[in-house]
């Protein structure tokens, strides 16, 4: 490893390679609740695509793994490296390369944060509408996770906005896919294959994104409901009305209490309504003019009232902004309250209510507390699981996953599989699907050096040398035990279904 590190220092400069105690604690983890921080053998910070390519060439020849890292705001452990591999951080590649007003597109480097990109676009009255609730997230990280967030109900997820990439393959080959094009029908779409691939197929060094006009008029409505099924039934009525909401977020009453207390917000809901409320719907509306907006507010209020809302509050701009920010911080409120895991399942919107009821009853049966909030317009549910016993928690989560899959859903709607949900995916997925994913991975990365132990493919060589398995450089407690518990459980699952757990 020392020899490789010397070669890499010669490529990127000694100041941009950290090893041992010089590795910052921030580079050892993301925000995932269940993946143990790991100190990798080195953290490399390239400044150019040519440097990324040269480093990968070197690592590929030596069989050294590379885990890409954006801002480390991910919730699945996907940017956490392994003890005998390298982490490649992209914060030195954070420029806007061009903003094209006529095409409504921009070309940016992957390390730019969403906050910095928004600052750069504001003077042009343009917006990049992907907002995964964490403005420190980078464009590279959001591309690799296909991030969604609260505005996805209107604008779609990252995939809908990425039209071109420059990428570097594990071999060091640099290639481009797509471009500043509104449409493309020229063979396999490599751009879309790499979006959501969690740093396991190629490293992204340039991203071409679609932009939207920046609407100015915005309103926020809060509607309390007596129960989740009534709330869920109101959602298609809103979306089917022609109102095109910017956000449609639900919070159960415990989650709302947690986020408002954490943010110091008083919802000022009539106490007589508050005592009957078990779930809240937040609807954000946005329009090109205040007249249009007013029409939409009135229509939405009427629909919610007709569909069982206990009351409808149109918030002041300040109160609306504060509530949306508080909702964005729901993850931190759940963490402070002691949540042991966060589940990010997605189901068809019409199946959301059933899943929520089933999750609550499965939770009660296992002696766990399950609370939640989520992107109700997308059927994407974030459940906070409070169950300190690892085995019981895994059993519960697997039951929830099975229920979601049976309802036509998926394990993750936006956080990705990373390390945290990978084992569950491998145990529950169709073997033919897995086999094809393995082949795709092998074509892009034959030596399995990118993102070891991360994502959907059973990467060829290194996958099982996951954090905690190699000798002694974990920097946090618990990971080994959790991983082995999960593996035992999954072996049981495989036995029950006839699948072979990897
Ligand atoms: C409070 C909070 C709220 C959140 N809410 C949401 C939400 O509503 N919706 C949502 O989708 N997410 C949400 N997230 C998760 C997170 O913000 C996203 O997953 C984000 O996309 C991660 O970006 P990052 O730059 O932090 O990437 P990291 O966490 O550093 O890395 C994520 C993945 O990207 C890969 N990667 C990074 N850079 C590159 C590159 N240049 N080339 C290839 N691969 C790369 C990494 O290897 C890893 O697989 C939330 C997180 C927090 C903390």
């Amino acid at each position: 490893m020392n020899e490789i590190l010397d070669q890499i220092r010669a490529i990127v400069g000694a100041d941009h390679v950290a090893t041992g105690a010089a590795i910052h604690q921030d580079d050892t983890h993301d925000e995932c609740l269940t993946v143990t921080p790991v100190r990798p053998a080195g953290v490399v910070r390239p400044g150019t695509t040519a440097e990324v390519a040269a480093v990968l060439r070197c690592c590929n020849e030596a069989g050294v793994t590379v885990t890409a890292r954006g801002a480390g705001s991910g919730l699945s452990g996907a940017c956490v490296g392994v003890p005998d591999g390298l982490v490649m951080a992209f914060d030195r590649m954070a420029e806007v390369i061009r903003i094209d007003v006529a095409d409504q597109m921009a070309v940016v480097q992957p390390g730019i944060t969403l906050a910095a990109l928004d600052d750069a676009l504001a003077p042009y009255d343009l917006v990049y509408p992907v907002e995964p609730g964490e403005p420190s997230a980078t464009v590279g990280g959001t591309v690799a996770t296909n991030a969604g967030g609260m505005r996805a109900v209107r604008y779609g997820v990252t995939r809908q906005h990425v039209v071109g990439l420059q990428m570097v393959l594990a071999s060091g080959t640099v290639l481009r896919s797509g471009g500043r094009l509104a449409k493309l029908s020229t063979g396999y779409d490599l751009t879309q294959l790499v979006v959501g691939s969690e740093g396991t197929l190629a490293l992204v060094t340039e991203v071409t994104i679609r932009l939207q006009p920046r609407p100015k008029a915005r309103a926020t409505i809060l509607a309390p409901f007596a129960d989740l099924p009534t709330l869920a039934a109101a959602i298609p009525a809103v979306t089917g009305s022609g109102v095109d909401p910017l956000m449609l977020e639900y919070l159960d009453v415990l989650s709302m209490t947690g986020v408002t207390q954490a943010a110091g917000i008083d919802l000022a809901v009539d106490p007589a309504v508050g005592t009957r409320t078990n779930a809240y719907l937040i609807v954000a509306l946005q329009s090109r003019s205040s007249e249009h907006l007013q029409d939409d507010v009135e229509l939405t209020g009427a629909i919610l009232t007709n569909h069982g809302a206990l009351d409808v509050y149109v918030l002041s701009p300040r109160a609306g902004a504060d509530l949306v920010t508080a909702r964005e911080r729901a993850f931190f409120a759940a963490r402070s309250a002691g949540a042991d895991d966060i589940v990010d399942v997605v189901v068809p919107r019409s199946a959301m209510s059933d899943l929520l009821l089933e999750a609550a009853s499965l939770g009660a049966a296992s002696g766990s507390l399950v609370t939640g909030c989520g992107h109700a317009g997308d059927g994407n549910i974030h459940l906070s699981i409070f169950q300190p016993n690892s085995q019981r928690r895994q059993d519960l989560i697997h039951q929830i996953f099975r229920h979601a899959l049976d309802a036509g859903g998926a394990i993750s709607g936006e956080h990705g599989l990373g390390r945290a949900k990978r084992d569950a995916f491998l145990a529950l997925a169709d073997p033919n699907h897995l086999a094809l994913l393995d082949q795709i991975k092998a074509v892009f990365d034959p030596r399995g050096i990118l993102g070891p132990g991360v994502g959907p493919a059973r990467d060829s060589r290194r996958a099982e040398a996951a954090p905690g398995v190699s000798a002694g450089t974990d920097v946090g407690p618990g990971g080994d035990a959790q991983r082995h518990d999960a593996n035992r459980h999954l072996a049981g699952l495989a036995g029950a279904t006839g699948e072979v757990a990897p």
Side-chain angles (χ1 to χ4, degrees):
M1 179 59 81
N2 284 342
E3 205 177 300
I4 300 294
L5 284 166
D6 282 341
Q7 289 174 31
I8 292 173
R9 285 187 189 97
I11 296 166
V12 300
D15 289 351
H16 304 306
V17 180
T19 57
I23 294 176
H24 198 283
Q25 185 72 14
D26 282 351
D27 290 333
T28 66
H29 68 91
D30 66 1
E31 297 294 348
C32 179
L33 296 178
T34 56
V35 170
T36 310
V38 169
R39 194 179 296 282
V43 177
V44 185
R45 296 192 139 79
T48 63
T49 300
E51 288 181 6
V52 173
V55 171
L56 284 187
R57 212 168 291 124
C58 201
C59 289
N60 199 41
E61 274 164 23
V64 171
T65 66
V66 178
T67 302
R69 179 182 175 82
S73 76
L75 296 175
S76 65
C79 70
V80 179
V82 294
D84 58 355
L86 299 180
V87 163
M88 184 180 286
F90 282 89
D91 41 7
R92 289 181 64 224
M93 295 177 68
E95 298 292 321
V96 173
I97 296 169
R98 66 185 284 172
I99 295 173
D100 202 316
V101 177
D103 290 334
Q104 282 186 210
M105 292 195 188
V107 183
V108 301
Q109 290 188 310
I112 190 167
T113 65
L114 296 178
L117 176 59
D118 197 53
D119 287 347
L121 295 175
Y124 299 91
D125 262 348
L126 292 169
V127 68
Y128 178 59
V130 174
E131 192 188 53
E134 182 48 62
S136 71
T138 64
V139 169
T142 53
V143 167
T145 55
N146 186 27
M150 294 202 270
R151 297 181 191 167
V153 65
R154 176 159 192 171
Y155 290 109
V157 297
T158 301
R159 195 176 285 298
Q160 272 88 50
H161 301 280
V162 176
V163 291
L165 293 175
Q166 182 184 64
M167 61 183 94
V168 187
L169 302 182
S171 61
T173 303
V174 180
L175 57 93
R176 285 185 181 277
S177 60
R180 284 184 297 117
L181 303 169
K183 49 167 58 169
L184 188 65
S185 181
T186 313
Y188 300 149
D189 193 335
L190 297 183
T191 304
Q192 294 301 330
L193 190 52
V194 169
V195 173
S197 66
E198 300 186 280
T200 64
L201 295 184
L203 301 191
V204 171
T205 52
E206 221 179 85
V207 187
T208 305
I209 48 177
R210 261 183 228 280
L211 306 172
Q212 301 292 332
R214 209 178 179 91
K216 302 227 164 27
R218 183 154 155 179
T220 310
I221 295 173
L222 176 67
F225 283 83
D227 53 62
L228 279 162
T230 312
L231 180 151
I235 289 167
V238 175
T239 54
S241 70
V243 169
D244 191 8
L246 179 67
M247 299 173 191
L248 265 176
E249 295 290 310
Y250 93 92
L251 295 93
D252 64 24
V253 74
L254 274 178
S255 299
M256 182 59 105
T257 305
V259 304
T260 48
Q261 280 179 356
I265 292 176
D266 177 6
L267 287 178
V269 169
D270 179 345
V273 171
T275 51
R276 294 167 57 209
T277 299
N278 281 303
Y280 288 90
L281 184 66
I282 302 172
V283 187
L285 298 167
Q286 179 176 265
S287 191
R288 65 181 193 278
S289 73
S290 42
E291 293 74 37
H292 263 101
L293 184 67
Q294 192 52 37
D295 282 354
D296 285 352
V297 167
E298 281 167 20
L299 179 58
T300 306
I303 292 169
L304 294 174
T305 306
N306 290 338
H307 284 80
L310 298 174
D311 209 340
V312 173
Y313 301 88
V314 181
L315 305 183
S316 70
R318 177 64 196 266
D322 286 349
L323 182 57
V324 168
T325 304
R327 159 64 191 92
E328 277 178 348
R329 314 305 284 168
F331 164 76
F332 292 117
R335 188 176 70 180
S336 306
D340 297 293
D341 203 350
I342 306 278
V343 167
D344 156 46
V345 283
V346 62
V347 287
R349 203 168 55 194
S350 54
M352 193 180 76
S353 169
D354 274 358
L355 180 65
L356 288 169
L357 295 176
E358 182 70 17
S361 99
L362 288 169
S366 78
S368 315
L369 175 64
V370 179
T371 69
C373 60
H375 310 307
D378 306 334
N380 186 191
I381 299 160
H382 299 331
L383 295 173
S384 302
I385 312 285
F386 295 77
Q387 172 51 264
N389 180 290
S390 166
Q391 187 61 60
R392 265 206 223 170
R393 189 170 67 245
Q394 292 301 329
D395 286 346
L396 171 61
I397 290 174
H398 280 277
Q399 285 172 321
I400 294 172
F401 284 160
R402 274 205 182 281
H403 191 84
L405 293 175
D406 289 347
I411 285 175
S412 171
E414 56 183 18
H415 297 163
L417 300 173
R419 297 189 181 289
K421 304 295 186 284
R422 167 189 164 92
D423 286 346
F425 175 78
L426 294 178
L428 295 168
D430 169 4
N432 293 324
H433 185 149
L434 287 180
L436 191 57
L437 296 181
D438 289 348
Q439 288 170 37
I440 293 169
K441 168 73 174 170
V443 169
F444 274 77
D445 178 19
R447 301 201 67 190
I449 68 159
L450 294 179
V454 168
R458 294 162 291 194
D459 36 15
S460 27
R461 195 179 54 91
R462 287 282 189 154
E464 304 319 321
V469 177
S470 301
T473 40
D474 277 10
V475 292
D480 243 346
Q482 276 173 359
R483 185 175 171 79
H484 294 153
D485 280 352
N487 283 343
R488 250 203 318 276
H489 175 69
L490 290 165
L493 261 183
T497 59
E499 293 170 11
V500 180

